[in-house]
Amino acid sequence: MTMSKTMEPTRRSSSMKRTRRWQTALHYLILTVVALFFFLPVYYLIVGSFRPSSEVLSGLSGFVPTNLSFDNYAGVFDHLSSDATGHFGQFALVSIIVTTAVVAGSLIVNSMAAYSFARMKWRGKKVLFLLVIILTIIPFEAVALPLYYMFSGQRDTVVIQAIPFIANAFSIFLFYTFFLDVPGEIEEAARLDGAGPFRTFFQVIVPITKPAFATVAILTFLGQWGSYLWPVLMVSDPTVRPLPLAISIFQNQQPPEWGQVLAFGTMFIVPVLAVFLIFQRWFVASISSSAIKG
């Protein structure tokens, strides 16, 4: 009887360990399926970019990496190498200039606005911040037409492709949530050392909130690099077209060169992957911090 009582907790513990193992295995299985779901389109894009166009749309066999070559990439540069279609380097340069301007401007303008909302006292702050919150739920498509009429006299310029996207309500709110967690004693110590608001912000607040800046930089880069609607409305001159508009040139090919389309898409996502790899350490830290706070 005593021995039976001793073995009962042991069996229960063993059963719990088996249950935890099954739960862990199930979690890994679900995560693997979800990861494959998101990764397979990227895999198909990259593999297809190295295959002949006639074999790209060949069902499940399109996932098999056979007959690989760089012909499609050479075809993209050959196709985008005249004044009529525009040059690939020209499209890429416009995208880099516009995206860099928007990311840099967004980090400066939105972080300073959020710092003002989070750490300073001034009349009308609550009403204005409520307006910022409301703006976070309004999609760009809803205001694209009014903006088009506002800036219709400045079409076909690089500047007009960047200006409307520097101030962003969601970025302000994201910075705001991070700045709220900064201990007030740090700012108080800076003030005792004679630092003003700008010096406190740039020399004290910015260094300790790098994850917030990395997150906003990545999200802003992703949104701006792939921006299509606004350039379609505002740009008709090939010399100031960004990369997303260049994809439309391949739609007129007869027969369609799907291999070149996939090669263009692969080159289009390379900068996105590079930016994510550069900032991913702070981006992951930001997401982890948000999860803990949530």
Side-chain angles (χ1 to χ4, degrees), residues 234-264:
M234 300 301 292
V235 177
S236 57
D237 185 353
T239 61
V240 290
R241 279 180 183 165
L243 267 178
L245 295 192
I247 193 69
S248 62
I249 295 172
F250 295 94
Q251 294 176 349
N252 299 323
Q253 289 179 319
Q254 292 298 333
E257 292 287 344
W258 294 113
Q260 293 184 16
V261 173
L262 297 186
F264 180 88

Side-chain angles (χ1 to χ4, degrees), residues 39-150:
F39 176 73
L40 281 180
V42 179
Y43 172 81
Y44 190 90
L45 173 72
I46 296 174
V47 172
S49 70
F50 291 100
R51 302 190 67 189
S53 294
S54 58
E55 298 180 11
V56 170
L57 303 179
S58 53
L60 292 178
S61 62
F63 287 92
V64 181
T66 56
N67 299 326
L68 304 183
S69 73
F70 287 94
D71 292 345
N72 292 324
Y73 290 88
V76 170
F77 287 106
D78 288 341
H79 201 77
L80 300 177
S81 61
S82 67
D83 293 337
T85 60
H87 299 267
F88 182 88
Q90 191 178 43
F91 293 131
L93 181 61
V94 171
S95 280
I96 291 172
I97 292 174
V98 172
T99 305
T100 302
V102 171
V103 172
S106 178
L107 291 178
I108 296 172
V109 172
N110 296 321
S111 64
M112 294 181 72
Y115 181 69
S116 175
F117 282 123
R119 313 301 292 195
M120 294 182 176
K121 295 179 181 178
W122 42 279
R123 185 175 296 177
K125 184 177 76 171
K126 292 183 178 177
V127 175
L128 199 55
F129 187 66
L130 178 62
L131 180 60
V132 170
I133 297 297
I134 293 173
L135 289 175
T136 60
I137 61 174
I138 297 178
F140 175 75
E141 288 76 5
V143 297
L145 199 55
L147 285 173
Y148 171 78
Y149 285 110
M150 284 174 60

Side-chain angles (χ1 to χ4, degrees), residues 166-185:
I166 290 178
N168 184 279
F170 180 74
S171 297
I172 293 175
F173 181 74
L174 198 59
F175 277 122
Y176 174 83
T177 58
F178 273 87
F179 293 156
L180 282 182
D181 291 336
V182 176
E185 293 79 6

